[in-house]
Amino acid sequence: MEWLNSLFFGNESFWGGGVAHSVLILALVIALGIMLGKIKVAGISLGVTWILFVGIIFSHFGLRLNEHLIHFMKEFGLILFVYSIGLQVGPGFFSSFKKGGVRLNLLATMVVCAGVLVTCGLYVITGLPVTTMVGILSGAVTNTPGLGAAQQAYSDMTGIDSPDIALGYAVAYPLGVIGIILSMMVLRRVFRIDFAKEEKKALDTMDVQHDSVAQPHSLSVVNPALEDKSIRELQGLVNRDFVISRIRRQGGEIEIADDDTLLHVGDQILVVTTPRDAAAITAFIGRDVQVEWEQLDKRLISRRILITKPELNGKSLAQLKLHAGFGVSITRVNRAGVDLIAQPSLQLQMGDRVTVVGTEVSIANVEKVLGNSMKRLNAPNLIPIFIGIVLGVMLGSLPFTFPGIPQPVKLGLAGGPLIVSILISRFGPKFKLVTYTTMSANLMLREVGIALFLACVGLGAGEEFVETIIDGGGYAWIGYGAIITILPLLIVGVIGRLWFKVDYFTLIGVMAGATTDPPALAYSNDLAGNDIPSVGYATVYPLTMFLRVLSAQLLILFLA
């Protein structure tokens, strides 16, 4: 049985201590961690973080990997993880600051800053190493990218890995998940929340925020000033965002409109615009009417077509000249579940669904131009991913010098790829760069990355874990983590409720997003009985993730 012993515990041979041994240990740690992560206690699960604890157990009993291999796999997994996160949050990163998102992101930023201040206070009071405190902070707010960023920053400064960061994270994480949920329960009890009133308040706020979503309206032209005016001239007069899709003349004839189509009093038109602009457009043109467009003319149909041809990425609707070439009209563009007005200047992206109005034959021809091939869309675009990783590693390795800091500051292998992926997913289409990936592909990349990272962190830190808990004051770390978790959330929760007047459902979603904690979001949705907390979570998640990664690095760079 010597071969089995060498396979598990390693030796000098290639088979025992090399590839087979490493793959076996990593696969076992990840598989067991994921299985344990599916177990729920009182409806709460630690998820993939169990991989970290399984790695610690393996390492404690001597099942370890070569330290150079651990370092490589950990950093590579971290890059995959943060890059896929950036691709996911990038398209909504900048739009999350619009309208009500500013208020919610301000609350989330206050949670992050308060957590950093509490950590600094505990660092001064307790005298613990800053590496330990940053690890406790990352575990207390359940933020794994912050853990990776701190480890990378410390490694860049000293040339060695600090096990204290991972130990602090592992000790504080379990109570971090519970502490977030306890904070939500405390706020519910303190403010005596009435769920019916909170839901009505939240839905009223969401209706206001949805004023930018495109919707169809049927109008009758009454204004005599519009006689013989083209649609292009009308757009100049009204100065609002809208598209006219079809026109029904007084004789009953229906035609597809373009910018040069002339209007006449008595025409009935189908206008696509936002609720915010609908009232002004209606008042200027005429009045609302009820028209069954699909029933009046069976020749004209409306169909949604998927953009799947890479060469269309970044092109504007005006450049396609679909009306002149095929006699069709594009009224809406659905992107990430939101209907946008099909303005001529709107740039298309892979994965967009455009609403096309025309005859059956013309729409079939347009399909050939736009693609409409789900098979092509499902094919992964690997070039932008690896180009982005190259750029992210280069940015992360770029040193920045600040007065008073002897060591040049670097964004590291967490910050660099994260920033590049956010920028490339948001602005890539403008440079003809296809950044679209399906949700399943993104999730696979992300889960593989985080699994490798957590397994390697656990395998590298497990040798000292038990000793740290028993003899190194690890019990006190749990208390410090609880303070870092609960205190900022309660303070900002009270501010959000009393000062910003945020409804409870949105507020607990913001609290879950400010700690980037999926279990807390799942609890929030179950508690609310609706998806309102998810809106708050999604609004603040991109900025919070960026701030968590940045703050963890800055604490190491300024205090280590």
Side-chain angles (χ1 to χ4, degrees), residues 143-155:
N143 188 259
T144 308
L147 164 67
Q151 287 196 319
Q152 178 63 37
Y154 188 82
S155 177

Side-chain angles (χ1 to χ4, degrees), residues 32-40 45-48 50:
L32 290 174
I34 292 174
M35 286 190 287
L36 290 172
K38 296 182 182 297
I39 300 174
K40 290 185 178 182
S45 168
L46 298 183
V48 294
W50 263 109

Side-chain angles (χ1 to χ4, degrees), residues 298-301 303 358-367:
K298 301 291 185 179
R299 296 180 303 107
L300 297 181
I301 60 174
R303 184 174 297 167
T359 64
E360 187 80 44
V361 174
S362 62
I363 288 180
N365 291 327
V366 170
E367 278 186 329

Side-chain angles (χ1 to χ4, degrees), residues 25-26 29 55-56 58-59 63-65 70 455-462:
I25 298 301
L26 275 175
V29 169
I56 288 173
F58 270 53
S59 181
L63 295 166
R64 306 187 186 102
L65 304 184
I70 286 180
C456 291
V457 169
L459 289 168

Side-chain angles (χ1 to χ4, degrees), residues 44-89:
I44 301 173
S45 168
L46 298 183
V48 294
T49 308
W50 263 109
I51 297 174
L52 173 67
F53 296 113
V54 173
I56 288 173
I57 294 171
F58 270 53
S59 181
H60 177 72
F61 288 102
L63 295 166
R64 306 187 186 102
L65 304 184
N66 178 278
E67 63 175 296
H68 298 293
L69 179 62
I70 286 180
H71 183 75
F72 167 74
M73 294 301 293
K74 180 179 67 177
E75 303 302 344
F76 183 65
L78 177 64
I79 290 172
L80 291 179
F81 178 58
V82 298
Y83 192 83
S84 58
I85 284 179
L87 288 179
Q88 178 193 8
V89 306

Side-chain angles (χ1 to χ4, degrees), residues 32 83 99 113 116 149 157 383 393 427 478 518:
L32 290 174
Y83 192 83
K99 299 181 183 177
C113 294
V116 171
M157 288 179 61
I383 293 178
V393 171
F427 300 107
I478 299 175

